[in-house]
Amino acid sequence: MLLRLFKTFVVVFLFMSFFISGQLVWAKRPPEIRNQDDLNISQDMHAQDLSGREFVKFDLRGINFKDSDLSGAVFNNSNLTNAQFNGADMHDSLAYATNFENTDLSDANLTNALLMESTFVNTKIDGADFTDAVLSRIQQKQLCSIASGTNSNTGIDTEYSLGC
């Protein structure tokens, strides 16, 4: 009798834990969108302190990040088409597989940034500082072909910072 009661208890416990766990799993948000609501993204994000923020798989097309502090920010798999980052501090940022098409990075500080697998089609980089940024050789050649100017904050030429 005691064994039968124990078996019933185990079956009920497993049955309940399966359904309760399933409900808890559905309630969790994917890690790439956990802080989306906290960021209060708008079209005008200029001159804001967004250092260390995560923008993973975000659609940030056309957003104005001009003169913002984005040091240590993460932009993995994000769409930054037509965004404005002129004068932004993006040192130590991470932008893996991010789309910078038609983006304005002029006078941005991208020192020590990790930019692997990102695309830079028609990107403005006049005066951007890429010192010690990690780029693929193909990206580096592409950016060297359009590099010009000197960063107003670091005093480093864009060509020099890319190792052209």
Side-chain angles (χ1 to χ4, degrees), residues 46-72:
H46 81 281
Q48 293 194 27
D49 182 2
L50 300 168
S51 56
R53 297 296 177 106
E54 294 182 16
F55 302 93
V56 179
K57 296 183 181 178
F58 274 32
D59 185 356
L60 300 169
R61 287 179 284 184
I63 305 268
N64 179 3
F65 289 104
K66 182 179 179 180
D67 299 320
S68 289
D69 180 2
L70 293 157
S71 55

Side-chain angles (χ1 to χ4, degrees), residues 26 41 95 97 103 112 129 139 143 149 160 163:
W26 289 110
I41 303 279
T103 299
N112 296 317
D129 185 351
Q139 290 170 312
L143 292 174
Y160 180 80

Side-chain angles (χ1 to χ4, degrees), residues 6-109:
F6 178 73
K7 285 182 182 180
T8 305
F9 174 75
V10 170
V11 169
V12 169
F13 176 76
L14 291 174
F15 183 75
M16 293 293 291
S17 64
F18 175 74
F19 283 106
I20 291 173
S21 295
Q23 290 174 348
L24 291 176
V25 169
W26 289 110
K28 290 183 181 178
R29 295 174 65 186
E32 63 268 12
I33 62 171
R34 281 188 191 145
N35 70 344
Q36 262 183 346
D37 296 334
D38 298 338
L39 291 174
N40 297 321
I41 303 279
S42 69
Q43 284 300 113
D44 189 8
M45 301 289 287
H46 81 281
Q48 293 194 27
D49 182 2
L50 300 168
S51 56
R53 297 296 177 106
E54 294 182 16
F55 302 93
V56 179
K57 296 183 181 178
F58 274 32
D59 185 356
L60 300 169
R61 287 179 284 184
I63 305 268
N64 179 3
F65 289 104
K66 182 179 179 180
D67 299 320
S68 289
D69 180 2
L70 293 157
S71 55
V74 177
F75 291 97
N76 283 358
N77 293 297
S78 292
N79 186 357
L80 302 175
T81 303
N82 297 314
Q84 298 170 2
F85 288 92
N86 26 340
D89 182 3
M90 299 175 72
H91 79 275
D92 297 328
S93 62
L94 173 63
Y96 179 80
T98 293
N99 184 2
F100 286 98
E101 185 174 349
N102 296 316
T103 299
D104 188 352
L105 292 171
S106 57
D107 209 36
N109 180 359

